[in-house]
Amino acid sequence: MLSGHSQGVRCIAYSPNGDRIVSGNFDLTVRVWDVATGDCLYIFIGHTAGICSVACSPQANVVASRSDDETVRLWDLDSGECRSIISRLTGHKGGINSVAFSPQGDQIVSGGTDMEVRLWDVETGLCRQTMTGHYGVVMKVLFSPKGDYIASASNDKTVRLWNAGSGVSRKISINHGGCVMDLKYSPKRSQVASCSSDSTIRLWDADTGVYSRTLTGHSGTVYKISYSPQEDRLASCCMDNTVRLWDVESGVCLHTFDGHTNTVVNVSFSPQGDQIASASSDHTLRLWNVETGECQHILNGHSSGVWVVTYSPQGNQAASAGLDGVIRLWAVDSGSCEHILTGHSKPIQSVAYSPDGNQIASASDDASVRLWDVKTGLCTHILIGHQINATRVVYSPRGGQIASASYQDKTVRLWDTESGECLHAFTGHNHNVFAIAYSPRGDLIASWSDVGEAMLWDVETGQCYWNLNHDGTTQLGENYLAQPFVWMSSDTDSFITGCGDGSVRVWKVTREDDQCRVHMRWRSTNGQLNVKDACVQDVQGLSDLSKRLLKQRGATGEPSVRLREASKKVMRMTSVVSKLKSSSLNIEALNPSATSSAISSTRHPEQQPQQAMDAETFEN
């Protein structure tokens, strides 16, 4: 036991080689301890307020301490003396929230309440760079492993990457401007793709969360996206009645497939990647040639909107279903209907092929899940258990088992595909269950509700390992078409979530002692406020700080246009400006709740149109 502090210990850190521990305390001291003996080697005195964080340089010869006295002190472990002081008087104009050493140990980065990121020379204590661009308090800073970039996180809901040499901001992660409708993961590219009701598709680096590009061209809600098997192309479908094919590397739209006369709600690549199938509210499916962009077949037969289309694992057959409660199996070469599977009495929400392609599972609003023989078209099992409806069904990668979810009874059920027996009924969700997915290993199931509530279940025991709620999410409503959840490849054991607030997040599952722990690897951020060319010089009710914040977002000092209201919470930029006295200039906040509320009563696209919002990426 290491004792010596006279008040509560607030922060600790190991030295890089693990032989020392540094501790900070409310008693205004920093102490360095020998791990082997427990002896206190140094007591550093000099701060005039409590110590809130400590860090050791990579070479273990310098300790940095940050205090509530708004200073950072560097302590020499060889001499025990304070080497230099980084204070508000010579740099930051307010409190310092975070400090970090460079991998080489010759620089320190700091971030504070003045919205600035500063780079300091450890040897001299001089400021090398001052990086501005955040419009909220900087909460966290850190160096990249090579030391060439600095990442900063702010309560303005952005993460910025700065070039450590030039101080130039490289990237800003940004949310969609509407709810996330679908997510896909590309293992080969280590990339996440998301689509939204804001009419866009966004691509992200799956490892770092860095936003790479936005694919624009659709003019309505983008419902589904699909990577090609080669993962070099991406297909998307939209309420603008089109399907688009994108080159992932360049972001160029290769083809726009026109022909549907109503919203296209689902799209899928064939296993060979040479064909795309699309399902539409115009009651038809279409098969498209990927290379030429030509429509190969128009599949007629459904009497109402088609919501689901999926290829068999072999790629020789496609299954479709929708509002008419009928499943149709199609030969993709000829476009002929091979089987019509009838039995459900209400719309079918989900269809899935078994891993071997010999069986199909379907989930319907009639609350039943049915299993079908692909060769004969006969129903082999009717699985009863859900109380109101069944909205999602998925097969286990191991085979022999399926999982189903009900939107309204808020449960997830596991079924044996041979006997039809219900193996587990997972209860615990407080909100409507939207999506379910097996982990690549088949030992876990994740379930996801309409308000961002996610749960992780053990397939064997039925135990709930983990429960999360996205902060500040908005409801998606009864839009069963949304599938804002996808597992990544089996070697990463990670999964991706998206929600009505427009955010995308990647989570890592860690397995320890028969337990699973989940932590967030990265998340996107909320949209920004565009106040370019707005005039704030003579605006009544805005403080100098508020004006400064607005000018950082493009406002000017010319007194020609005034704002009607200014929020007292200046750190929440989407609330600073609500209206203009003059209608000659619009200031628009990317407000996810506006789009989310627009679809909260939307169950299906052909029942209520959705209004898309444009999102902008700000880079300074």
Side-chain angles (χ1 to χ4, degrees), residues 57-99:
S57 68
Q59 293 74 25
N61 62 337
V62 178
V63 167
S65 58
R66 178 176 61 86
S67 166
D68 289 334
D69 64 11
E70 300 183 346
T71 69
V72 173
R73 291 179 179 248
L74 304 183
W75 308 91
D76 193 315
L77 289 185
D78 295 329
S79 66
E81 297 178 353
C82 179
R83 179 181 293 188
S84 59
I85 302 175
I86 305 170
S87 75
R88 59 172 294 187
L89 301 178
T90 58
H92 283 288
K93 306 175 189 66
I96 302 169
N97 288 331
S98 179
V99 294

Side-chain angles (χ1 to χ4, degrees), residues 30 78 107 111 155 179 195 282 289 307 312 323 357 380 384 411 431 451 576-578 610:
V30 177
D78 295 329
Q107 297 182 97
N155 68 357
C179 72
C195 66
D282 66 6
N289 185 290
W307 297 340
S312 67
L323 273 169
T380 59
I384 303 297
T411 66
H431 300 278
V451 295
V576 171
V577 182
S578 60
Q610 299 178 355

Side-chain angles (χ1 to χ4, degrees), residues 6-262:
S6 61
Q7 296 185 41
V9 179
R10 195 174 180 184
C11 50
I12 58 172
Y14 270 98
S15 63
N17 55 14
D19 62 345
R20 294 178 180 180
I21 288 178
V22 183
S23 60
N25 189 281
F26 284 107
D27 64 8
L28 316 187
T29 67
V30 177
R31 293 175 180 252
V32 181
W33 310 83
D34 186 287
V35 172
T37 65
D39 295 335
C40 181
L41 304 177
Y42 298 104
I43 303 175
F44 298 139
I45 301 174
H47 283 295
T48 59
I51 317 300
C52 45
S53 88
V54 291
C56 234
S57 68
Q59 293 74 25
N61 62 337
V62 178
V63 167
S65 58
R66 178 176 61 86
S67 166
D68 289 334
D69 64 11
E70 300 183 346
T71 69
V72 173
R73 291 179 179 248
L74 304 183
W75 308 91
D76 193 315
L77 289 185
D78 295 329
S79 66
E81 297 178 353
C82 179
R83 179 181 293 188
S84 59
I85 302 175
I86 305 170
S87 75
R88 59 172 294 187
L89 301 178
T90 58
H92 283 288
K93 306 175 189 66
I96 302 169
N97 288 331
S98 179
V99 294
F101 278 96
S102 66
Q104 297 76 22
D106 59 339
Q107 297 182 97
I108 279 183
V109 63
S110 60
T113 59
D114 58 3
M115 300 173 287
E116 293 179 349
V117 177
R118 287 180 174 259
L119 188 63
W120 309 87
D121 186 285
V122 169
E123 191 64 33
T124 65
L126 297 178
C127 180
R128 290 182 175 180
Q129 292 277 356
T130 299
M131 292 160 270
T132 60
H134 282 296
Y135 61 91
V137 172
V138 180
M139 305 301 297
K140 182 73 175 179
V141 291
L142 72 160
F143 277 93
S144 65
K146 295 180 180 180
D148 50 350
Y149 285 97
I150 294 167
S152 60
S154 167
N155 68 357
D156 66 7
K157 303 180 182 178
T158 67
V159 175
R160 289 180 177 259
L161 295 185
W162 310 85
N163 186 296
S166 65
V168 175
S169 177
R170 180 171 169 233
K171 291 287 184 183
I172 306 173
S173 297
I174 185 171
N175 275 4
H176 281 285
C179 72
V180 177
M181 299 301 295
D182 196 19
L183 292 166
K184 291 295 185 291
Y185 172 66
S186 166
K188 294 178 182 178
R189 292 180 173 273
S190 188
Q191 185 180 75
V192 177
S194 58
C195 66
S196 167
S197 58
D198 66 3
S199 308
T200 69
I201 300 151
R202 293 180 183 266
L203 304 180
W204 319 78
D205 186 293
D207 296 322
T208 65
V210 173
Y211 156 81
S212 57
R213 69 171 71 248
T214 299
L215 310 182
T216 60
H218 283 297
S219 58
T221 296
V222 183
Y223 284 106
K224 294 291 180 181
I225 49 178
S226 178
Y227 275 104
S228 65
Q230 298 77 22
E231 300 176 19
D232 58 341
R233 294 177 180 181
L234 190 73
S236 59
C237 64
C238 181
M239 67 178 297
D240 63 8
N241 306 348
T242 68
V243 174
R244 286 179 177 257
L245 182 66
W246 310 86
D247 180 85
V248 175
E249 187 67 32
S250 65
V252 172
C253 181
L254 303 175
H255 294 295
T256 300
F257 302 133
D258 291 305
H260 284 293
T261 58
N262 207 330

Side-chain angles (χ1 to χ4, degrees), residues 514-543:
D514 297 326
Q515 294 292 318
C516 288
R517 302 182 186 277
V518 181
H519 68 275
M520 188 167 61
R521 292 175 57 189
W522 61 262
R523 64 156 293 172
S524 65
T525 61
N526 283 335
Q528 312 292 313
L529 179 67
N530 178 14
V531 292
K532 183 174 176 59
D533 299 326
C535 304
V536 297
Q537 184 64 34
D538 295 337
V539 176
Q540 301 298 317
L542 283 179
S543 67

Side-chain angles (χ1 to χ4, degrees), residues 564-596:
R564 181 179 296 175
E565 297 176 357
S567 172
K568 294 180 180 180
K569 299 179 180 179
V570 296
M571 297 307 174
R572 294 182 59 193
M573 292 300 297
T574 55
S575 300
V576 171
V577 182
S578 60
K579 293 182 180 179
L580 287 172
K581 283 189 175 181
S582 169
S583 61
S584 61
L585 179 65
N586 291 325
I587 297 179
E588 297 179 353
L590 296 181
N591 184 357
S593 63
T595 303
S596 300

Side-chain angles (χ1 to χ4, degrees), residues 281-298:
S281 296
D282 66 6
H283 308 178
T284 71
L285 295 98
R286 289 178 179 249
L287 304 182
W288 310 88
N289 185 290
V290 168
E291 294 302 322
T292 66
E294 295 178 355
C295 180
Q296 295 176 308
H297 298 291
I298 301 174

Side-chain angles (χ1 to χ4, degrees), residues 226-472:
S226 178
Y227 275 104
S228 65
Q230 298 77 22
E231 300 176 19
D232 58 341
R233 294 177 180 181
L234 190 73
S236 59
C237 64
C238 181
M239 67 178 297
D240 63 8
N241 306 348
T242 68
V243 174
R244 286 179 177 257
L245 182 66
W246 310 86
D247 180 85
V248 175
E249 187 67 32
S250 65
V252 172
C253 181
L254 303 175
H255 294 295
T256 300
F257 302 133
D258 291 305
H260 284 293
T261 58
N262 207 330
T263 298
V264 186
V265 297
N266 216 319
V267 65
S268 180
F269 270 97
S270 67
Q272 294 76 26
D274 58 347
Q275 190 180 74
I276 291 174
S278 58
S280 171
S281 296
D282 66 6
H283 308 178
T284 71
L285 295 98
R286 289 178 179 249
L287 304 182
W288 310 88
N289 185 290
V290 168
E291 294 302 322
T292 66
E294 295 178 355
C295 180
Q296 295 176 308
H297 298 291
I298 301 174
L299 310 183
N300 292 289
H302 285 286
S303 61
S304 192
V306 186
W307 297 340
V308 181
V309 60
T310 182
Y311 281 92
S312 67
Q314 296 77 18
N316 62 328
Q317 189 181 75
S320 63
L323 273 169
D324 60 7
V326 173
I327 302 168
R328 288 177 174 263
L329 305 184
W330 309 86
V332 297
D333 289 338
S334 63
S336 60
C337 182
E338 296 182 326
H339 291 293
I340 301 175
L341 314 183
T342 60
H344 284 297
S345 58
K346 290 186 177 181
I348 297 170
Q349 300 289 342
S350 179
V351 171
Y353 276 94
S354 62
D356 60 11
N358 293 326
Q359 191 180 64
I360 282 179
S362 58
S364 168
D365 281 348
D366 64 11
S368 72
V369 175
R370 290 179 178 248
L371 303 181
W372 311 83
D373 186 282
V374 170
K375 293 182 179 179
T376 64
L378 298 177
C379 179
T380 59
H381 292 289
I382 303 175
L383 311 181
I384 303 297
H386 289 296
Q387 299 302 307
I388 303 176
N389 60 1
T391 51
R392 199 75 68 187
V393 63
V394 291
Y395 273 90
S396 166
R398 300 173 176 177
Q401 187 183 89
I402 61 169
S404 63
S406 171
Y407 179 84
Q408 291 178 308
D409 74 11
K410 306 171 186 176
T411 66
V412 176
R413 290 177 176 265
L414 300 190
W415 310 86
D416 185 283
T417 56
E418 291 296 325
S419 65
E421 176 188 359
C422 182
L423 304 175
H424 291 293
F426 299 148
T427 59
H429 275 289
N430 297 313
H431 300 278
N432 303 322
V433 181
F434 247 83
I436 52 173
Y438 276 93
S439 66
R441 302 182 190 181
D443 58 340
L444 299 173
I445 286 181
S447 54
W448 181 248
S449 83
D450 62 344
V451 295
E453 176 191 50
M455 304 185 84
L456 196 63
W457 310 88
D458 185 284
V459 168
E460 296 298 327
T461 67
Q463 177 184 354
C464 179
Y465 281 133
W466 175 73
N467 189 345
L468 94 97
N469 280 282
H470 272 245
D471 297 330

